[in-house]
Amino acid sequence: MANILVFVETSPAGGVAGSARGLLAAAAALGTPVAVVASEVSPEATVALGQAGASLIHQGIGEQAGAMLTGPAVEALETAVAAYSPAAVVVSNSADGREIAGRLAVRVGGALLADAVSLRLDGDRIVAGHSIFGGAYDVESTVEGGLPIVTVRQGAIDGVTSEGGGAVEIVTSQLTGTVPGARVTAVHDAPATSARPELRTAKTVVSGGRGLGSKENFALVEQLADALGAAVGASRAAVDAGYVDQHAQVGQTGVSVSPQLYIALGISGAIQHRAGMQTAKTIVAINKDGDSPIFDVADFGIVGDVFTVVPQLIEALAARPQ
Amino acid sequence: MKIVVLIKQVPDTAEERTLVPATGWLDRDAADNVVDEINERALEVALRVKDADKSTEIVVLAMGPEEAAKAIRKALSMGADSGIHVLDGGLAGSDAARTAAVLAAAIRGTGADVILAGNESTDGRGGVVPAMVAEHLGLPLVGGLNAVVLGDGTVSGERSADSGSLDVTAALPAVVTVTERTAEARFPNFKGILTAKRKPVATVAAADLDVAATPARAVVLSHSERPAREAGRKIEDDGTAGTQLAGYLIENRLV
Ligand SMILES: Cc1cc2nc3c(=O)[nH]c(=O)nc-3n(C[C@H](O)[C@H](O)[C@H](O)COP(=O)(O)OP(=O)(O)OC[C@H]3O[C@@H](n4cnc5c(N)ncnc54)[C@H](O)[C@@H]3O)c2cc1C
Ligand SMILES: Nc1ncnc2c1ncn2[C@@H]1O[C@H](COP(=O)(O)O)[C@@H](O)[C@H]1O
């Protein structure tokens, strides 16, 4: 079976990014996954990658790791492309991943399949599935004449975990800093991460819009999310108004989600917002204005005030027989 | 300082966007074509540098069909000094690799200190072209900035991370991409619209440029439209809507 390179993002502390398991699973369906890391892998990371399906880890080590943006990753991958003659390279469709994929494609004469939501083998060619224009179209694409470099939408492909995992071999290459890049001068960690599920993979998402009216009132969205064990999302207007962190933005220029249940509170349903959520299985909307376009895609719509309907909903849910 | 801003003309995200059935390419006739909002923001970043230092020169560069000339005019009316339009029927349907090779070739002769672009276009959503341009030009990429400081031979700014953020910096020349957290773009004023007509736009074909070979290319194999979603039940709150919704969620095993 052909080798498939998987770029594994790591945190400054050496932790493996959440995207790694899905990427390794996607690669395992195409060939033999080789995990590529642009820093020294910790023993914990080695075990985690082994359980997620990697039997070989290629680590690029150099002074630049962590101090430079994306350059070390490009160099580690370029070395690995030469060493393993892979049939494809898969990276996360994250800010880092896309920049790494772009630079690498030029360096190795490859082409890009961007924002894939699925990957399959058709004979010996690698075919990526994409969901475009907010899920209005399904598109399949492939690469001719060179190495496919695929960025995979975060949360689109589930990972697998096997207990224990097999033996993992680690190969090391030295990074020399040949890729021009930006220097990282400071890292600002986010305030303590919440116990809520991750927005991209959550089964239920509760989103709030400008209709919430203030940062204080946005707490209502969080209360309902916590009552449902859901992730918190938002419209761009709510993010712009400072009600909630930008990571929560759902839509055209934010995160795309496809949960079992999406609840939109005080969101008008502009086409750019719908582009990020209309593939949800069930959509519920609460909005004062009965003409809001969000009702065009809602399975259950309530024309009403979120400040009266939502507290009643939370109460009714709390009272349900468990 | 000389700044080249990469602007892409895209179908307006406020309208339904479609693909041409035969090719799977973007249907440019289906919706109004506009300058991508993110590129207007990138231009705004450049214009603010120019507001503070009049010696700044801003060139906008677009690769696209005949109609992309309108996008260039819009940018000129906002305050850019000149435009380059790469117009070549042979480039229709180009993938990111070819687009980047062409843009890099067009930038090469300009002597730019900064190449400013959007972090991601709204039609392709690839977010890869600027990195590829940077690689062709051998320049650092300072990508995904929510705030940009340009000057003294360096660019620096804040970039979002998976959680939290990073401060990043590079020496110029560099390729810089901005996010929609950067400033909202200004509207062209009357004077801007008038003077835009007299500003120079160079129209070039691929053959006029020294474009690097791109042996590999991405091709669309198939595309299908999903049925549109239909509206379901809609109720007016009569004082019991919250309870009714709880019933619906429980009945459908959604909670
Ligand atoms: C290029 C581009 C990209 C974009 N990308 C995104 C994106 O990724 N995500 C996104 O969301 N938007 C995006 N937008 C913006 C989008 O066009 C809308 O402006 C935005 O989604 C509106 O957010 P909203 O629904 O919260 O606000 P509004 O449109 O102001 O709607 C607020 C709603 O709240 C309702 N309301 C008010 N008070 C109450 C109450 N007490 N109870 C119930 N309902 C109430 C109102 O009836 C109204 O419908 C983008 C725009 C552009 C041009
Ligand atoms: N055809 C083009 N002409 C000019 N700039 C482009 C073109 N394609 C992409 N870009 C630039 O690259 C950015 C990211 O595009 P993409 O990689 O397609 O998501 C855009 O916001 C533009 O600044």
Side-chain angles (χ1 to χ4, degrees):
Chain A
M1 273 202 304
N3 289 319
I4 308 292
L5 298 188
V6 173
F7 180 68
V8 174
E9 291 180 36
T10 49
S11 68
V16 170
S19 58
R21 292 198 311 127
L23 295 179
L24 284 164
L30 306 174
T32 307
V34 177
V36 180
V37 186
S39 58
E40 190 161 356
V41 284
S42 64
E44 299 80 44
T46 306
V47 171
L49 292 173
Q51 288 176 339
S55 52
L56 180 59
I57 299 174
H58 183 102
Q59 61 179 11
I61 297 183
E63 283 165 14
Q64 286 201 325
M68 301 293 289
L69 212 56
T70 66
V74 174
E75 199 187 333
L77 279 166
E78 190 182 16
T79 308
V81 167
Y84 306 101
S85 313
V89 179
V90 296
V91 304
S92 171
N93 189 36
S94 62
D96 280 3
R98 299 191 302 194
E99 295 177 10
I100 292 163
R103 274 208 115 99
L104 181 71
V106 175
R107 290 203 156 216
V108 303
L112 264 142
L113 303 176
D115 199 21
V117 295
S118 66
L119 275 170
R120 67 183 176 88
L121 215 47
D122 172 30
D124 54 9
R125 109 182 143 167
I126 280 158
V127 176
H130 315 263
S131 173
I132 70 161
F133 298 158
Y137 285 86
D138 293 315
V139 174
E140 283 200 319
S141 67
T142 192
V143 167
E144 291 175 352
L147 181 64
I149 298 172
V150 190
T151 64
V152 176
R153 183 177 291 183
Q154 288 164 286
I157 302 179
D158 289 336
V160 292
T161 308
S162 65
E163 273 314 309
V168 183
E169 185 190 346
I170 299 180
V171 176
T172 303
S173 69
Q174 204 62 42
L175 301 178
T176 55
T178 55
V179 183
R183 245 172 350 100
V184 177
T185 52
V187 179
H188 307 284
D189 282 326
T193 47
S194 83
R196 295 194 187 102
E198 220 274 310
L199 177 59
R200 289 182 165 87
T201 48
K203 280 213 179 77
T204 305
V205 174
V206 180
S207 286
R210 182 149 45 197
L212 271 297
S214 70
K215 191 177 162 80
E216 291 69 41
N217 289 347
F218 201 84
L220 186 65
V221 177
E222 290 158 6
Q223 282 163 23
L224 179 58
D226 292 340
L228 295 171
V232 169
S235 70
R236 182 164 98 172
V239 170
D240 285 351
Y243 301 170
V244 57
D245 186 77
Q246 64 172 92
H247 288 97
Q249 183 174 321
V250 170
Q252 169 73 50
T253 42
V255 172
S256 298
V257 296
S258 291
Q260 291 296 314
L261 174 63
Y262 187 89
I263 302 183
L265 305 178
I267 292 178
S268 62
I271 193 166
Q272 294 96 347
H273 185 78
R274 290 185 341 242
M277 47 66 81
Q278 63 195 358
T279 57
K281 198 87 183 293
T282 300
I283 296 173
V284 171
I286 305 175
N287 193 305
K288 270 202 309 214
D289 175 5
D291 292 329
S292 294
I294 192 73
F295 291 120
D296 298 344
V297 296
D299 299 284
F300 193 104
I302 295 173
V303 182
D305 190 323
V306 291
F307 300 109
T308 56
V309 178
V310 175
Q312 190 180 70
L313 169 63
I314 294 174
E315 212 170 290
L317 289 172
R320 75 183 186 273
Q322 291 291 331
Chain B
M1 176 153 36
K2 187 163 185 180
I3 306 176
V4 173
V5 183
L6 303 184
I7 58 169
K8 187 178 186 187
Q9 196 188 39
V10 298
D12 195 339
T13 56
E15 296 170 51
E16 290 303 330
R17 293 168 294 170
T18 54
L19 298 178
V20 178
T23 54
W25 295 350
L26 192 65
D27 187 348
R28 290 183 160 271
D29 300 326
D32 273 347
N33 294 303
V34 297
V35 179
D36 208 347
E37 189 204 59
I38 194 68
N39 297 146
E40 291 196 357
R41 289 180 194 260
L43 177 58
E44 180 64 33
V45 168
L47 290 170
R48 288 186 183 190
V49 175
K50 190 176 165 86
D51 289 343
D53 174 3
K54 296 282 176 248
S55 71
T56 308
E57 189 188 339
I58 304 174
V59 182
V60 291
L61 166 59
M63 167 180 140
E66 204 83 55
E67 224 203 320
K70 280 198 206 143
I72 293 175
R73 284 293 162 203
K74 168 93 189 278
L76 296 178
S77 69
M78 288 168 69
D81 297 296
S82 64
I84 304 173
H85 183 182
V86 183
L87 172 65
D88 191 326
L91 294 172
S94 288
D95 69 349
R98 182 132 172 87
T99 301
V102 172
L103 291 174
I107 294 164
R108 215 168 265 128
T110 60
D113 301 293
V114 183
I115 296 103
L116 264 172
N119 64 331
E120 167 185 319
S121 59
T122 50
D123 57 350
R125 291 207 74 175
V128 292
V129 166
M132 298 175 105
V133 167
E135 182 59 33
H136 278 292
L137 299 174
L139 298 180
L141 169 68
V142 193
L145 299 187
N146 297 323
V148 188
V149 183
L150 274 171
D152 288 337
T154 63
V155 51
S156 48
E158 183 228 40
R159 164 184 172 100
S160 295
D162 270 351
S163 62
S165 65
L166 304 172
D167 292 345
V168 294
T169 185
L172 300 181
V175 177
V176 177
T177 72
V178 300
T179 70
E180 62 179 354
R181 301 288 149 237
T182 56
E184 213 160 298
R186 65 193 65 187
F187 289 103
N189 58 25
F190 186 62
K191 182 166 162 257
I193 294 167
L194 283 184
T195 51
K197 300 203 171 88
R198 297 194 300 270
K199 289 175 176 172
V201 176
T203 303
V204 297
D208 304 329
L209 302 168
D210 187 13
V211 182
T214 46
R217 61 186 196 115
V219 292
V220 172
L221 293 174
S222 68
H223 55 96
S224 56
E225 196 171 352
R226 284 214 204 137
R229 239 191 137 96
E230 277 170 34
R233 193 156 123 211
K234 182 162 131 193
I235 61 170
E236 297 267 349
D237 182 23
D238 60 357
T240 64
T243 315
Q244 289 189 55
L245 175 53
Y248 171 85
L249 296 177
I250 293 164
E251 202 176 298
N252 290 284
R253 298 172 180 281
L254 290 164
V255 289

